[in-house]
Every structure is written in C-alpha cells, then in structure tokens.
Amino acid sequence: MSRRLSGIIIWGGTVRKVRLPKANGPQARSLLFALENIAEPGWVKDRHSVASVSTVDSFRNLPKTLRLTIATGWGAAPLLVIAAGVISVVSGILTAFGLLATADALSVLLRTTITPERISESIPEVSLVLVIYSARALIESLERTVEASVRPHVACAAENNLARVVSGIDVIAFEDASFRELAAQGGQAGVRALANSVTPLLGLLSSIATVTASVVATSLFHPLLAIGVVVACVPSAWAASRSSRLNNLHMLGTVSDHLQKSILAEISTDSRFAMERAVFGLRDRLIVEYELVSKRLCQKEITSGLKRARIQLAGRALSGLSGAVAFGVLAILLYTRWIDVAVAGAAAVAMRVSITSVTGAAGRLYNLFELGFSIELYKDLLRGAAERRRSVGSVAFLETGPDIITMSAVGFCYPGHSRPSLCDINLTIGRGEVVAIVGRNGSGKSTLAKIIGGLYVPSIGKVFWNSVDLAYVRENDIRKNVSFVAQTPMAWPTTAGNNVEIGCHADLPIKEWWDRSLKVSGAGDVIDSLPHKMETLLSTRFVDGRDLSVGQWQRLAIARALVRNGSILIADEATSALDPHAESQVLEFLTSSKESMNQVTTIFVTHRILNARKADRIVVMEGGRIVETGSHNELMQNPEGHYRLMYEVQVPPINTRG
Ligand SMILES: Nc1ncnc2c1ncn2[C@@H]1O[C@H](COP(=O)(O)OP(=O)(O)O)[C@@H](O)[C@H]1O
Ligand SMILES: [Mg+2]
C-alpha cells in the first residue's frame, strides 16, 4: 500500500522519492507507473564495474569476449571460420604488399627526374602493384562471400544454444524479476551482437595484418617513422575505447528508464489491462507518464551522445596532431638528408596507409567494444541459466507414484527475497488421500502446493517420496506423476483438442478416461459448443480463432490435468471461476478420488471453506506456516481455531451445529 506525502511515496515501509509532474489542478498527483526508483536488476550493478574499466583493461578483455563469437562460429561451421580467418589475414597482408610495392615503384620513379626511360624502367614494379591490387580486390570479394555465410551460422548457433540452455532452467528462475530482465536484454540482443561481431572481427583481423606489415615496412625506411606511426595510433584506440565505454555506461544508466517505458507500453497495449484502462479513464495519465519517461530518455541520449562526440573529436584531433608529428619527423629526416627524396615519398605513402588502416581498425574496435557489451550480457545469461538449471536427479521413480509424501522442516524463499514465504512445514500425505489446503490470501497455499508437486525445490528442509529425497528424483519421473491445475488457467494458442491433450506426451489416455475427464471438468460442453469442436483454434491470432471465458479456460485446464491421470493431482483454486454447478461437479469428483480416481493423491487449494469440508484432511495455512491440520469435524472442535473462525465467517453459525 502507498501513501503520498508531497512527493515522497511510502511503499511497503521504504521511503522513495518521486519526481511529480507539474500540477494542473489544485492538487498535485503522484505518478502511477513511471516511478523513478523502479528496482534496478541485479546484473546492472555487476555490469557497471565491467563497463567502467580502464582503456587498457578494455583491450585486455576484448579477446575473452570475442572468443565466444569464434567458438560459436567454430561449433557451427569450422571450415568456414578457418577460411574467413585465413582470407582476412591474406587480405591484410596483400594490402601491405600493395603498399610496399607502391613504395618500391615510387622509389624507382622518384630516384631522379621522371623521364620516359625511367617510366619504362619502372614497368615491372608498377605491374606488381597492379597485380597485387587486383588480387586484393578478388580476395576482398571472397572475404565478403565467406563472411556472408559465417554470420548466419553464428546467429543460428547462438540462438539454438540459447534456446537449449533457457529451456532447461528451473521454473522458479522465472519468478526472479532480475533474471527475467537479463533474459529479455541478454537473449536476443546477445544473439544479434554475436552475429554482428563477425564483420568487424574479420575486418580487425585484416587491419591488424595491414597495420603490422605497414609498420614493419615504414620501419625499414627509418625506425623513427615507425615509432611515429605507432604513436599516431594511440589516440584513435583511446577514443574508440572511451566512447564505447561511455555508450555502455549510458546503456546501463537507462535500463530502469527502458523498464519503465516497457511497463507503460505494456499497460497501454496489452489486452489484460484494456478493460480497467478504459473503466478508470487512465489514457491521459498514461500519455503524460509515457512522455515523462521518453523525454528523460531523450535527454540522457543527447547528453551521452554529446560526450561521445567530444571524445571522438579529441581522438581525431590528437591523432591528427600525432600524425603531423610523424610527418614532421619525416620532414626533419629529409631536411637533414638522413633519407633521400625517393625514399621519403615511399615512406610518406607507407605512413599514410598505416594511419588510414589504424583509423579503420579503431572504428571496428569501437563496434566490437559496443557489441562486446551485449555479448557479455549473453554470456551472463548463459551462466545464469546454467546456475538456475534444476539439479539433475538420477533416481528413477515409478509412474505408480509414491505411497507416502513427507515434507520435513521445509522452508522456502522466492529468489531475491529474504523473507520466507514458507517456514517449518512438516506434513505427511498418504496415497489416495484427499488434502485441502486453506488459508487467507498470501498465506502460502500456492507455494506449498508447488513444493509438494516438485515444481519448486525447498530452500531448506526436504520433500520425500517414500524414502527418496525428491531433489534426487529424475525430473521427468516427477512430471509424469504430477498433474497440476494452476491458479490462473493457461490459454494455449492451439486447437481445443491440443489444449486438453498437451500434457499427454507419448500415449494418449484410454477413451473411457478421456471422456470421463471431459465430462467431469465440463470441458466437453465447452468443446461441443465450438464451431469446429476439438479442431477449433483457441486464439484470436489465428484465422477464425476463438477465445473463451476465464471459466471455460479453467474447465479445459482441469480436463488437461485429469486426462494425464498422474498419481498426484494438485489443483490450485482450480474451480474459482466455475459456475456453482460445474464447481460442485468437479469437487465431488476430486473429493471422492479414492473411488473415482484409482487412488490418486489429491491436494486442492481453496479459500472457500465449504469446498474443503469433504477432504480427508484439511491443512490450514497462516503466514507461511501450517497452523492446524485435521478433518472438518476435528477442526470444528476447537472454538478458537483458525479453521472454525474462517468457517463461521463463511457459513452462518447455525449451519455449524451438528
Ligand atoms: N513470485 C513471487 N515472488 C516473490 N514473492 C512471492 C511470489 N509469489 C508469491 N509470493 C509471496 O509468497 C507468499 C505466499 O504466496 P502464495 O503461496 O501465492 O499465497 P496464497 O496462494 O496462499 O495466496 C505471499 O506473501 C506472496 O507475496
Ligand atoms: Mg494462491
């Protein structure tokens, strides 16, 4: 809950300062969604220290970052990677040879005054220049061709790798907002960056070959000239590193703004918000807040862009200056007759080419530093996903399920939260037992249900199936045994039939069980009312697709769980949206599971006490703890008990007697 105190919002006990928009009316209004102090994802802090490293360290880290591009390409098409590398180096070397040959031709031509004889004498040198440059043009087009094949290979391999790793993530990881944000930022951006890094990486390889060869060539004219060229490279490299660093810091500095913008965009366009957005007339306020955030982003963009432009300008000026110094050295050498005019001309060409290729390399470096940032996020995502992978249990478990489920001193904290949502849960459930979990909103019912079903692993304590610690059971064997109806029914965008059988992997249920599940859940009636019955597409994104009401979706969700015929059925507020007739039909079926469902262990969560009455055992939750357990009659014996008090709130006392 929040209270507003002149620009300070008190939210859950912590004070957050909020900048208010200009008041139009007599009273200033607080922001609804564009709250400045939106939680910054945890990974942003880690990335800050990486993004603000020194120029030297950014160069030192670059190979580590680019190793992933090479490794990804290597995994997908090793021969192409070798070809691309070799061709780039050859192209760089050819550039340098071209330069040497040009210098050579020039020195022949400039040795004395140019005469027709001198020109014909220099024909071999000039021809060599032409041959080399023709070869270079050829190799350049080869370079483009190979590069065009490597790029898609890298993108495809990176995407597949990501899909493989992300699909193995433990379900609880998706409750971690910081990780969700990393997945959103690091996933697609990382894949794009890896693919986009291919071109500048190959370009850089070729530039390194050119620069090395041309510096060596220049040093042959005079070592001082080579030193001049190297010194002229430094400002460009510095500017590339500094401005990409600024860009990366800017990106980190705007993560929260982008988050706010995406929240506002979601609220403005997502159908889930459409009804209340209209009912509460939020359109104008959303527009005001959207503009507030986008103006802030725009301002930050301009500030960062100007800073980068200043750095690039300084880099250009410094490299121009150091280039001038290098050419000054050449002039001095010429003036003091350390070198003659012919050599000086050739040296000047060599220096010019070196400096130009260094400038090109600096541009590629800038690209790579920038892309490297997203590649590092992608790496973080892969690492984070690997850490969040469910530990692979190796113990097999029969599909007939456990005879007994035991929870021993179980506690659970959601990721990123220090306050436990469950504490000290001790509970034993026998095969075929029907257990109702009741309690107020937020008391921990859904969390407990997910732990019993092996969806969440306890933070402390253990869950045993028979005497086997559930943490060591093969995940597939857990899934085969558990059927789960979630609190919010999932609307799968596929046919009605697929919506029911989506959880039956290998074998479809026998016809009798299938029909019974559809009948009990009421899904059969829903499907019969659809134009193409089982084949009706249930998403308006399809041509002729339909949508259902929440209650109808809930019927399909119940059918989906029932047809799986798992040994444990967990239903979390599964009947909350059903009409009374459908609800009593489902509950009747669930609570008579011993007879009707072949000894299925049934756990159902409800906050309607009347629904729990028929369960073999009722577990009452309060503040993440079990505060009472027993049958309806046992719990009603305690006049001060939580259950009895809840019951009397929902059912008039006269009904509680007898
Ligand atoms: N994804 C989540 N991240 C953090 N806290 C959560 C999450 N889901 C539930 N909680 C917290 O855990 C507690 C128990 O939630 P839950 O088991 O859903 O309650 P119930 O089903 O009884 O209404 C609540 O205090 C709730 O705020
Ligand atoms: Mg719940």
Side-chain angles (χ1 to χ4, degrees):
M1 288 300 291
S2 75
R3 283 179 292 133
R4 207 180 61 74
L5 287 176
S6 55
I8 304 275
I9 287 209
I10 301 178
W11 197 283
T14 49
V15 178
R16 288 153 182 222
K17 220 170 164 200
V18 169
R19 195 179 299 145
L20 300 172
K22 260 197 190 144
N24 293 326
Q27 243 189 333
R29 309 187 69 185
S30 64
L31 294 171
L32 283 176
F33 308 106
L35 303 171
E36 255 182 30
N37 290 26
I38 192 164
E40 197 175 59
W43 55 265
V44 172
K45 285 185 197 75
D46 306 338
R47 284 284 121 213
H48 257 294
S49 54
V50 179
S52 39
V53 292
S54 65
T55 303
V56 174
D57 282 339
S58 62
F59 273 92
R60 201 176 294 154
N61 294 339
L62 193 62
K64 259 194 281 171
T65 306
L66 296 179
R67 210 182 296 156
L68 187 63
T69 307
I70 299 166
T72 312
W74 184 261
L79 287 179
L80 270 178
V81 169
I82 294 176
V86 170
I87 289 171
S88 298
V89 173
V90 170
S91 145
I93 291 173
L94 276 180
T95 311
F97 269 124
L99 151 80
L100 281 176
T102 313
D104 199 29
L106 274 176
S107 67
V108 174
L109 276 168
L110 297 175
R111 211 168 289 148
T112 58
T113 38
I114 300 180
T115 57
E117 295 76 43
R118 173 77 47 226
I119 291 176
S120 50
E121 236 177 69
S122 68
I123 280 175
E125 283 80 8
V126 174
S127 313
L128 185 64
V129 172
L130 290 177
V131 169
I132 290 178
Y133 279 114
S134 312
R136 193 169 176 276
L138 198 72
I139 208 106
E140 247 180 16
S141 70
L142 245 176
E143 204 177 359
R144 297 285 94 79
T145 315
V146 175
E147 187 188 299
S149 318
V150 173
R151 230 183 97 96
H153 273 298
V154 169
C156 177
E159 233 159 27
N160 292 346
N161 200 13
L162 185 68
R164 208 172 312 121
V165 174
V166 170
S167 62
I169 295 176
D170 198 354
V171 64
I172 190 66
F174 295 99
E175 301 295 342
D176 181 349
S178 173
F179 183 72
R180 273 203 310 266
E181 200 48 39
L182 175 62
Q185 297 269 339
Q188 285 318 308
V191 169
R192 262 197 315 275
L194 275 167
N196 290 344
S197 64
V198 170
T199 310
L201 178 59
L202 293 175
L204 186 67
L205 208 60
S206 156
S207 299
I208 289 173
T210 314
V211 173
T212 313
S214 55
V215 168
V216 170
T218 316
S219 72
L220 295 180
F221 296 115
H222 199 284
L224 263 183
L225 297 177
I227 293 171
V229 167
V230 171
V231 172
C233 300
V234 176
S236 315
W238 168 84
S241 143
R242 291 292 297 187
S243 50
S244 63
R245 181 185 128 157
L246 264 181
N247 195 41
N248 295 342
L249 286 173
H250 165 70
M251 209 186 119
L252 287 174
T254 51
V255 166
S256 300
D257 303 281
H258 283 293
L259 258 173
Q260 285 178 349
K261 225 174 152 182
S262 68
I263 290 173
L264 284 160
E266 190 183 335
I267 293 169
S268 307
T269 55
D270 197 302
S271 61
R272 287 174 302 146
F273 296 99
M275 219 267 289
E276 292 214 3
R277 204 170 57 221
V279 168
F280 297 116
L282 291 176
R283 190 179 157 272
D284 291 345
R285 294 190 73 180
L286 281 173
I287 291 173
V288 167
E289 296 196 11
Y290 198 85
E291 281 178 2
L292 196 82
V293 180
S294 47
K295 271 188 193 147
R296 192 166 59 221
L297 256 172
C298 171
Q299 200 49 53
K300 285 187 181 178
E301 197 81 52
I302 292 171
T303 314
S304 159
L306 287 178
K307 276 191 197 161
R308 265 176 295 158
R310 274 203 295 271
I311 287 185
Q312 271 156 8
L313 187 68
R316 286 265 164 88
L318 282 175
S319 88
L321 204 68
S322 31
V325 170
F327 281 105
V329 172
L330 179 64
I332 293 169
L333 290 176
L334 189 62
Y335 185 72
T336 53
R337 298 191 187 282
W338 274 82
I339 51 177
D340 64 28
V341 180
V343 174
V349 174
M351 286 166 71
R352 190 64 247 150
V353 172
S354 311
I355 292 172
T356 310
S357 51
V358 164
T359 314
R364 285 170 193 131
L365 267 176
Y366 175 74
N367 278 347
L368 289 173
F369 281 132
E370 249 183 39
L371 296 169
F373 183 77
S374 298
I375 295 175
E376 284 299 327
L377 277 187
Y378 176 89
K379 279 195 197 170
D380 276 357
L381 174 58
L382 293 191
R383 252 193 307 271
E387 280 162 15
R388 286 167 176 80
R389 212 174 12 223
R390 200 186 163 95
S391 56
V392 191
S394 54
V395 179
F397 212 96
L398 296 175
E399 276 184 45
T400 47
D403 290 324
I404 191 156
I405 302 171
T406 312
M407 304 184 79
S408 163
V410 164
F412 184 78
C413 270
Y414 278 94
H417 292 256
S418 52
R419 234 180 106 217
S421 290
L422 287 183
C423 291
D424 200 25
I425 302 288
N426 293 290
L427 186 65
T428 306
I429 303 169
R431 181 189 289 278
E433 210 177 340
V434 178
V435 176
I437 304 175
V438 301
R440 295 166 194 238
N441 298 131
S443 56
K445 304 182 295 294
S446 296
T447 312
L448 178 60
K450 284 172 188 152
I451 289 188
I452 296 174
L455 268 176
Y456 292 172
V457 179
S459 311
I460 47 165
K462 287 184 191 310
V463 180
F464 296 95
W465 280 9
N466 296 341
S467 54
V468 183
D469 185 344
L470 198 55
Y472 298 111
V473 175
R474 283 203 308 232
E475 200 187 347
N476 269 354
D477 293 0
I478 301 178
R479 303 287 172 250
K480 275 186 199 157
N481 272 297
V482 180
S483 295
F484 203 98
V485 191
Q487 193 164 353
T488 316
M490 183 48 68
W492 294 98
T494 177
T495 62
N498 285 346
N499 256 282
V500 176
E501 64 167 81
I502 204 166
C504 310
H505 296 290
D507 3 271
L508 281 178
I510 51 169
K511 171 131 184 26
E512 188 197 344
W513 184 249
W514 171 271
D515 290 344
R516 193 170 185 189
S517 304
L518 289 184
K519 186 167 186 303
V520 170
S521 61
D525 292 341
V526 176
I527 293 169
D528 284 344
S529 72
L530 295 170
H532 310 293
K533 311 286 185 245
M534 289 288 183
E535 298 309 315
T536 312
L537 286 159
L538 294 184
S539 166
T540 46
R541 275 177 286 171
F542 293 116
V543 178
D544 200 23
R546 301 288 161 121
D547 203 351
L548 302 177
S549 75
V550 181
Q552 288 175 315
W553 278 118
Q554 203 162 47
R555 287 178 186 214
L556 293 194
I558 296 168
R560 183 156 62 235
L562 291 183
V563 294
R564 290 194 84 201
N565 201 10
S567 64
I568 302 167
L569 174 67
I570 300 175
D572 187 358
E573 312 266 16
T575 59
S576 58
L578 298 190
D579 58 60
H581 175 73
E583 180 171 32
S584 78
Q585 184 172 299
V586 173
L587 283 167
E588 186 61 36
F589 185 76
L590 294 185
T591 50
S592 61
S593 73
K594 273 206 181 75
E595 306 84 57
S596 59
M597 292 172 66
N598 314 326
Q599 293 280 304
V600 169
T601 307
T602 307
I603 293 126
F604 69 96
V605 173
T606 180
H607 56 258
R608 289 190 204 149
I609 295 294
L610 272 174
N611 291 345
R613 257 191 326 188
K614 281 196 179 171
D616 298 330
R617 197 143 48 107
I618 297 161
V619 172
V620 185
M621 302 284 300
E622 180 77 44
R625 293 174 187 273
I626 295 178
V627 286
E628 277 175 351
T629 55
S631 67
H632 170 74
N633 287 338
E634 284 164 2
L635 294 175
M636 288 303 282
Q637 300 299 315
N638 182 359
E640 300 300 315
H642 292 265
Y643 181 80
R644 168 116 181 213
L645 291 176
M646 277 195 283
Y647 192 87
E648 286 178 352
V649 168
Q650 292 187 24
V651 186
I654 193 159
N655 290 345
T656 66
R657 295 203 195 111

